[in-house]
Amino acid sequence: DAYTPGAVGDNRHTGKLPTAPKPNPVNVFRAYDLSAGDTVYIDTGDYPMIDPVAVSGLLGNAPAVQLLAGPGMGRDFGFTLTGPTDPALVARLYPAIPGDRTRPLIDLNDSDFVTIRHLTLQNALRGLSTHNDSDSLNLSQITASGHALQGFNLAGTDSRFGSFDRLVAFNNGDDGIAISGAIGTLSHSQAYGNAQRGFDIAARIFGSATDNLARNNASWGMYFDGSGAGAIQRNTVHNNAGVIKTKQAIKK
């Protein structure tokens, strides 16, 4: 009851008032197209996901565009998706079918200027996945664990001014946190117990990676591949198969 005191989710509700919440975040994205200034509040609780939160900034009638736009959730960009700010209160998303790890829980397809924070994502294909130039992202205080592939797979994003802060990825079947494209800051994040690299950063524009922790990963703790000139400072990296690897000169 961080956002919906005394209320219970119901599909008949509009989802626009604290007293009339919907029961699942997917229901909100199916009902509304979200844009700049909109916020979806996910209250404390467990949310079994039959479908992922799959949103797109694309819109059009051509079959190829319809295919890219995702499973009928309309055109969404510029919104904020947040769980409770109190760390003792958890909003947890996971597949409704036990053992179904075929899709990510949150999938952004060319959906720009999105902020996501204060969520726990468990036991899917990936926790959070982006593709097709989902740019200008800001992510904070998100935990992704138990996924078949990466906890976070942020592919080809141009978020050169974006902040990725306090992300946690553990016990995933591939890298913990994988980012390609352009990023601003990666800070205070943790990657541990993953089957491949803890942090896999291939950002052509790269601001800084500071105060992060990588431990007990089966491959490199932190791996920077072709990244631009950035700062790697005050990170703690131990008990991985490799410590820190850079494939291009970076200011340290």
Side-chain angles (χ1 to χ4, degrees):
D1 287 341
Y3 302 121
T4 59
V8 176
D10 193 306
N11 281 323
R12 293 170 294 181
H13 290 164
T14 64
K16 290 187 174 183
L17 296 171
T19 55
K22 288 188 175 294
N24 193 288
V26 169
N27 301 73
V28 176
F29 286 95
R30 282 178 173 157
Y32 305 107
D33 287 347
L34 304 182
S35 58
D38 291 333
T39 299
V40 178
Y41 298 95
I42 303 180
D43 214 337
T44 312
D46 291 342
Y47 296 87
M49 308 290 288
I50 295 175
D51 293 313
V53 175
V55 298
S56 174
L58 300 171
L59 184 65
N61 294 320
V65 175
Q66 291 176 345
L67 178 65
L68 288 172
M73 292 190 187
R75 186 170 185 255
D76 305 284
F77 58 91
F79 61 88
T80 294
L81 180 67
T82 183
T85 58
D86 184 344
L89 305 178
V90 176
R92 183 171 72 103
L93 279 58
Y94 59 94
I97 301 173
D100 179 12
R101 301 200 296 174
T102 60
R103 294 171 293 177
L105 290 171
I106 299 177
D107 188 18
L108 303 182
N109 184 355
D110 192 24
S111 189
D112 302 333
F113 299 100
V114 171
T115 297
I116 302 175
R117 57 198 183 207
H118 306 297
L119 294 175
T120 294
L121 311 173
Q122 294 182 345
N123 302 331
L125 179 67
R126 296 182 175 98
L128 175 58
S129 179
T130 72
H131 48 106
N132 289 324
D133 301 318
S134 291
D135 299 332
S136 301
L137 304 177
N138 287 281
L139 308 176
S140 65
Q141 299 188 59
I142 306 170
T143 298
S145 67
H147 300 290
L149 297 177
Q150 302 89 350
F152 298 85
N153 187 47
L154 313 176
T157 182
D158 187 346
S159 297
R160 65 190 67 190
F161 304 111
S163 171
F164 300 155
D165 184 60
R166 290 177 169 80
L167 307 181
V168 179
F170 65 94
N171 293 349
N172 297 292
D174 202 286
D175 299 329
I177 299 173
I179 306 173
S180 65
I183 65 172
T185 60
L186 172 65
S187 58
H188 305 101
S189 295
Q190 301 182 40
Y192 57 92
N194 297 291
Q196 294 294 328
R197 298 164 182 167
F199 296 88
D200 187 352
I201 312 300
R204 64 187 185 277
I205 298 174
F206 166 62
S208 64
T210 59
D211 301 295
N212 301 294
L213 168 65
R215 61 175 175 85
N216 299 102
N217 297 290
S219 184
W220 293 93
M222 304 188 81
Y223 190 93
F224 297 86
D225 185 356
S227 298
I232 304 173
Q233 298 175 323
R234 301 186 305 276
N235 299 287
T236 301
V237 185
H238 65 87
N239 292 95
N240 306 280
V243 186
I244 299 176
K245 182 177 178 64
T246 61
K247 291 188 68 176
Q248 187 167 320
I250 295 177
K251 179 181 177 182
K252 297 184 181 179

